[in-house]
């Protein structure tokens, strides 16, 4: 079985387990690491994912994997994690979870747009672009990227 087919089977096995825990499966990555493999399961939710929740769901994921033959005979290390800030925003839920963040996205018509996400739903995204709202349908946007901000203006105002 190829790596991609195995990742798809793992996703099919784990999605209901994670849904019951109130989490979305964002990615499954199976990579060789010497004589072992590393299975990275990326999970998220509208409320975020804290370490306690990762620990609880890791046990459930491990039990589901042990009860199936999807991993085969080779040993593996399970890593359950939340997405990093560098994860591309490709689904409506990714945009919704990025409210308040500064993002940059390619535009389907060419070029790109940078703005703070003020609203997002299944239809599209509203960005504050230089103080003006700009609403774009998901079809008008390519993958977005959260921009790293070291110091926001609101933070400096509060210090005065």
């Amino acid at each position: 079985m190829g790596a991609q087919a195995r990742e798809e089977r793992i996703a099919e096995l784990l999605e209901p387990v994670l849904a019951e825990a109130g989490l979305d499966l964002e990615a499954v990555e199976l990579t060789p690491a010497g004589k072992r493999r590393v299975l990275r399961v990326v999970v998220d939710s509208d409320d975020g994912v804290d370490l306690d929740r990762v620990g609880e769901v890791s046990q459930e994921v491990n039990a589901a994997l042990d009860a199936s033959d999807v991993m085969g005979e080779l040993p593996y290390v399970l890593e359950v994690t939340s997405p990093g800030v560098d994860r591309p925003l490709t689904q409506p839920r990714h945009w919704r979870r990025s409210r308040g963040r500064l993002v940059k996205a390619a535009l389907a018509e060419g070029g790109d747009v940078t703005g703070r996400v003020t609203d997002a739903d299944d239809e599209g995204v509203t960005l504050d672009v230089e103080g003006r709202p700009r609403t774009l349908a998901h079809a008008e946007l390519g993958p977005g990227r959260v921009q790293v901000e070291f110091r926001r203006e609101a933070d400096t105002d509060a210090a005065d």
Side-chain angles (χ1 to χ4, degrees):
M1 178 183 318
Q4 186 172 358
R6 188 176 304 270
E7 287 174 356
E8 288 172 11
R9 283 194 54 213
I10 294 167
E12 289 171 9
L13 173 72
L14 298 182
E15 279 178 335
V17 172
L18 295 169
E20 191 170 311
L23 298 172
D24 294 313
L25 177 63
E26 294 293 343
V28 172
E29 302 162 0
L30 186 60
T31 54
K35 294 181 180 180
R36 299 178 176 208
R37 298 164 295 167
V38 174
L39 174 60
R40 187 167 187 247
V41 177
V42 182
V43 299
D44 202 2
S45 83
D46 284 355
D47 301 325
V49 183
D50 63 24
L51 287 175
D52 290 338
R53 203 152 176 210
V54 167
E56 292 166 12
V57 80
S58 292
Q59 293 174 352
E60 295 169 26
V61 165
N62 197 40
L65 291 168
D66 286 349
S68 81
D69 65 349
V70 71
M71 290 303 295
E73 296 298 314
L74 290 175
Y76 66 94
V77 175
L78 174 64
E79 181 181 305
V80 178
T81 185
S82 61
V85 72
D86 59 342
R87 173 240 348 240
L89 308 176
T90 58
Q91 303 290 323
R93 68 178 179 263
H94 299 160
W95 290 95
R96 190 176 64 242
R97 293 171 184 162
S98 294
R99 280 190 185 107
R101 292 189 166 166
L102 186 67
V103 300
K104 181 176 183 177
L107 294 171
E109 65 192 25
D112 57 47
V113 63
T114 300
R116 193 164 307 281
V117 178
T118 57
D119 196 17
D121 59 25
D122 289 341
E123 305 305 315
V125 179
T126 301
L127 300 173
D128 178 330
V129 181
E130 297 177 2
R132 304 182 103 171
R134 182 167 179 192
T135 301
L136 298 152
H138 289 290
E140 296 177 277
L141 290 168
R145 295 256 180 216
V146 172
Q147 303 300 291
V148 177
E149 296 181 275
F150 293 105
R151 190 171 181 161
R152 288 178 53 183
E153 287 179 34
D155 296 338
T156 59
D157 292 344
D160 291 339

